């Protein structure tokens, strides 16, 4: 059955709400293989803990080590129960997330875009043109902030600032040249903040706005969002969607993570192609106008940029957010490559596939983690030619001194947005029963693809 997803942007000053029909989801298939899993490679490299504890440590989640440290402190202060008894009590303590949610409110803005559309009337004999203004409402998240200077970068969705029927700016077609943002609690005339378009990537539905020398911002309680590691998100976590639903002002809705990572097929903003976007699925209420807003965890940390919902008849509670690790990598890339108005993604020159996938449950943290074996299925072009080989199992990629262990296929592709020209990525791969280290230097323009 085909599913229908729509971009969650609200339109005003026009009749009805623009809906972007989407096609069904194609998840592909997994092929089985006898390659070592990432955990088995880790044990060969010297790790001697359990598979669950290894995955928990990679995720950066509040795992066993941190909880045991809290337990040890409790024992030193007189707690007499066992670790399992303490764990049961620790995990069932009632918490109030309202303080964290209120902090998150300070990092979300409502975004209003005016578009100029040209219409033709009078027929072919006496044609005349007129211009009408169309306004859309969306949301954004403050990515970086300099309160003293009144400057900020704001992350939003590409489709929030794009209208396929509009004229657009002098330099970027169909992008609004009249963008206004409002802070939470300051959505009044006289409190508007002008913003300009820095750049965007339509294929990833991410755009970046810039605010400069804003007196409103200088005197506000605004704060930049604190991001969590979205790769550590697990099913069942409490989340909050904060945005500007229906253009009625910033508000919050709550739910859980339904799926930690999945792909949905969705029409591009210009409706010329179908995109496959990786998303976190949530049952938190998402409505038109939530686009570009944040999906936050119970600690008030950003885990995603809300961008879509399902409107299939008879289906409820399917909202989507682009994972923060990916969204913010694309956003920073756009900022670093602002002259191109887009994002430059490094290309390895290989095809990769999942050859094994399984879930591992951690009794200590009470969380389930998915572990995939990611294998090179073919080398297609430079820069990987002569460096990586078909059959290599990707274990890790090291960039700028930080090692990223590859336990999901998307990690390898997402990391490419963090690569800049001249960077060297060190790969650890499992090949013919051995751990092999290989370097790829991305020193040519041809090793990058522009998304704008």
């Amino acid at each position: 059955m085909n599913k229908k997803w729509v971009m969650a942007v609200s339109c005003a000053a026009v009749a009805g709400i623009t809906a972007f029909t989407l096609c069904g989801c194609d998840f592909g298939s997994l092929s089985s293989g006898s390659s070592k899993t990432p955990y088995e490679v880790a044990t060969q490299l010297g790790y001697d803990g359990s598979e669950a504890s290894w995955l928990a440590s990679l995720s950066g989640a509040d795992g066993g080590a941190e909880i045991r440290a809290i337990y040890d402190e409790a024992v030193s202060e007189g707690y007499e129960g066992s670790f399992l008894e303490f764990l049961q009590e620790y995990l069932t303590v009632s918490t109030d997330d309202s303080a964290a949610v209120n902090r998150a409110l300070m990092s979300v803005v409502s975004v209003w875009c005016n578009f100029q559309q040209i219409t033709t009337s009078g027929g072919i004999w006496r044609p005349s043109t007129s211009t009408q203004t169309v306004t859309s409402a969306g949301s954004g998240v403050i990515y970086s902030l300099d309160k003293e200077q009144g400057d900020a970068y704001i992350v939003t969705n590409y489709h929030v600032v794009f209208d396929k029927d509009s004229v657009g700016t002098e330099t970027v077609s169909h992008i609004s040249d009249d963008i206004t943002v409002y802070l939470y609690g300051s959505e009044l005339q006289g409190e508007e903040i002008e913003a300009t378009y820095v750049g965007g990537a339509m294929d990833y539905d991410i755009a970046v706005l810039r605010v400069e020398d804003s007196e409103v911002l200088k005197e506000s309680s605004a704060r930049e969002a604190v991001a969590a590691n979205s790769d550590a998100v697990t099913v069942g976590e409490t989340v909050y969607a904060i945005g500007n639903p229906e253009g009625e002002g910033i508000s919050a809705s709550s739910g859980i993570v339904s799926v930690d990572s999945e792909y949905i097929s969705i029409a591009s903003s210009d409706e010329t192609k179908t995109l496959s976007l990786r998303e976190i699925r949530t049952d938190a209420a998402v409505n038109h106008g939530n686009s570009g807003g944040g999906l936050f965890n119970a600690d008030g940390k950003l885990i995603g940029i809300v961008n879509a919902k399902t409107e299939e008849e008879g289906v409820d509670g399917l909202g989507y957010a682009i994972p923060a690790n990916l969204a913010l990598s694309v956003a920073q890339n756009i900022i670093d490559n602002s002259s191109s108005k887009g994002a430059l993604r490094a290309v390895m020159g290989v095809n990769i596939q999942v050859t094994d996938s399984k879930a591992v449950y951690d009794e200590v943290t009470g969380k389930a983690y998915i572990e995939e074996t990611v294998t090179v299925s073919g080398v297609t072009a430079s820069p990987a030619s002569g460096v990586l080989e078909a059959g290599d199992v990707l274990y890790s990629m090291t960039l700028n001194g930080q090692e990223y262990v590859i336990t999901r296929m998307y990690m390898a592709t997402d990391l490419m947005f963090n690569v800049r020209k001249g960077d060297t990525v060190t790969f650890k791969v499992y090949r013919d029963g051995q751990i092999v280290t290989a370097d790829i230097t991305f020193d040519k323009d041809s090793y990058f693809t522009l998304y704008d």
Side-chain angles (χ1 to χ4, degrees), residues 204 206 230 278 322-331 414 417:
Y204 289 86
I206 291 295
S230 61
R278 189 169 72 82
I322 303 166
N325 286 11
L326 173 59
L328 299 185
S329 290
V330 175
D414 289 358
F417 275 110

Side-chain angles (χ1 to χ4, degrees), residues 139-143 153-157 206-209 292-293 305 327-328 331:
S139 311
V141 175
I142 299 174
Y143 172 54
Y153 282 110
I154 295 169
V155 179
T156 186
N157 290 139
I206 291 295
V208 178
L209 308 178
I305 299 296
L328 299 185

Side-chain angles (χ1 to χ4, degrees), residues 29 113 338:
S29 60
C113 298
S338 58

Side-chain angles (χ1 to χ4, degrees), residues 109-112 154 179-183 191-193 195 209 211:
V109 300
S110 56
V111 178
W112 292 85
I154 295 169
I179 304 172
T180 303
V181 302
Y182 293 86
L183 303 174
E191 299 295 325
E192 63 272 11
I193 302 173
L209 308 178
V211 170

Side-chain angles (χ1 to χ4, degrees), residues 221-259:
S221 296
R223 54 195 298 157
E224 65 186 32
V226 177
N229 176 14
S230 61
D231 291 342
V233 169
T234 53
V235 174
E237 290 186 31
T238 299
V239 291
Y240 298 88
I242 302 179
N244 180 28
E246 299 300 327
E248 295 293 336
I250 298 169
S251 63
S253 59
S254 66
I256 63 167
V257 172
S258 303
V259 178

Side-chain angles (χ1 to χ4, degrees), residues 199-231:
M202 182 189 296
D203 285 5
Y204 289 86
D205 200 22
I206 291 295
V208 178
L209 308 178
R210 173 74 169 160
V211 170
E212 295 181 280
D213 194 26
S214 167
E215 292 298 326
V216 174
L217 200 56
K218 292 177 185 178
E219 299 173 4
S220 72
S221 296
R223 54 195 298 157
E224 65 186 32
V226 177
N229 176 14
S230 61
D231 291 342

Side-chain angles (χ1 to χ4, degrees), residues 45-386:
L45 288 168
Y47 184 80
D48 60 0
S50 70
E51 187 169 14
S53 63
W54 179 72
L55 285 168
S57 68
L58 291 179
S59 74
D62 294 333
E66 182 172 342
I67 296 176
R68 282 192 178 277
I70 297 172
Y71 169 71
D72 290 341
E73 182 178 353
V75 169
S76 68
E77 294 179 357
Y79 183 79
E80 297 179 352
S82 69
F83 174 70
L84 289 179
E85 290 171 332
F86 174 80
L87 181 62
Q88 184 178 18
E89 295 175 17
Y90 179 82
L91 295 177
T92 56
V93 171
S94 175
T95 59
D96 181 0
D97 301 338
S98 61
V101 173
N102 278 265
R103 286 196 302 272
L105 285 171
M106 298 297 103
S107 62
V108 178
V109 300
S110 56
V111 178
W112 292 85
C113 298
N114 289 327
F115 299 95
Q116 301 303 314
Q117 295 182 352
I118 298 176
T119 59
T120 302
S121 60
I124 60 174
W125 302 111
R126 292 173 177 261
S128 63
T129 60
S130 61
T131 302
Q132 66 172 344
T133 299
V134 176
T135 302
S136 72
S139 311
V141 175
I142 299 174
Y143 172 54
S144 68
L145 175 64
D146 184 338
K147 285 278 292 294
E148 185 175 346
Q149 298 297 320
D151 297 344
Y153 282 110
I154 295 169
V155 179
T156 186
N157 290 139
Y158 189 91
H159 73 262
V160 168
V161 298
F162 179 95
D163 181 273
K164 69 181 183 65
D165 298 318
S166 71
V167 177
T169 69
E170 293 182 0
T171 56
V172 186
S173 298
H174 311 296
I175 296 292
S176 174
D177 61 356
D178 185 2
I179 304 172
T180 303
V181 302
Y182 293 86
L183 303 174
Y184 175 69
S186 300
E187 294 157 307
L188 298 170
Q189 187 174 358
E191 299 295 325
E192 63 272 11
I193 302 173
E194 292 184 5
T196 56
Y197 176 76
V198 176
M202 182 189 296
D203 285 5
Y204 289 86
D205 200 22
I206 291 295
V208 178
L209 308 178
R210 173 74 169 160
V211 170
E212 295 181 280
D213 194 26
S214 167
E215 292 298 326
V216 174
L217 200 56
K218 292 177 185 178
E219 299 173 4
S220 72
S221 296
R223 54 195 298 157
E224 65 186 32
V226 177
N229 176 14
S230 61
D231 291 342
V233 169
T234 53
V235 174
E237 290 186 31
T238 299
V239 291
Y240 298 88
I242 302 179
N244 180 28
E246 299 300 327
E248 295 293 336
I250 298 169
S251 63
S253 59
S254 66
I256 63 167
V257 172
S258 303
V259 178
D260 66 328
S261 179
E262 67 176 326
Y263 288 86
I264 66 172
S265 297
I266 189 167
S268 60
S269 299
D270 61 4
E271 300 183 20
T272 63
K273 55 189 172 182
T274 299
L275 306 177
S276 179
L277 295 183
R278 189 169 72 82
E279 309 271 355
I280 296 170
R281 190 204 300 177
T282 178
D283 66 350
V286 170
N287 292 288
H288 294 279
N290 270 110
S291 278
L295 188 68
F296 295 86
N297 64 17
D299 294 325
K301 294 183 178 180
L302 183 72
I303 63 169
I305 299 296
V306 175
N307 74 316
K309 62 175 293 187
T310 183
E311 289 192 342
E312 184 73 23
E313 184 177 355
V315 179
D316 295 317
L318 272 66
Y320 297 90
I322 303 166
N325 286 11
L326 173 59
L328 299 185
S329 290
V330 175
Q332 186 60 54
N333 193 300
I334 291 168
I335 293 169
D336 292 346
N337 295 287
S338 58
S339 61
S340 69
K341 295 295 182 182
L344 287 171
R345 179 177 174 271
V347 179
M348 284 187 283
V350 298
N351 292 327
I352 57 177
Q353 65 177 353
V354 175
T355 51
D356 189 31
S357 180
K358 64 180 179 180
V360 178
Y361 181 73
D362 187 346
E363 296 284 353
V364 175
T365 64
K367 294 181 178 292
Y369 302 94
I370 295 176
E371 181 184 2
E372 296 174 345
T373 299
V374 182
T375 305
V376 175
S377 58
V379 179
T380 59
S382 296
S385 299

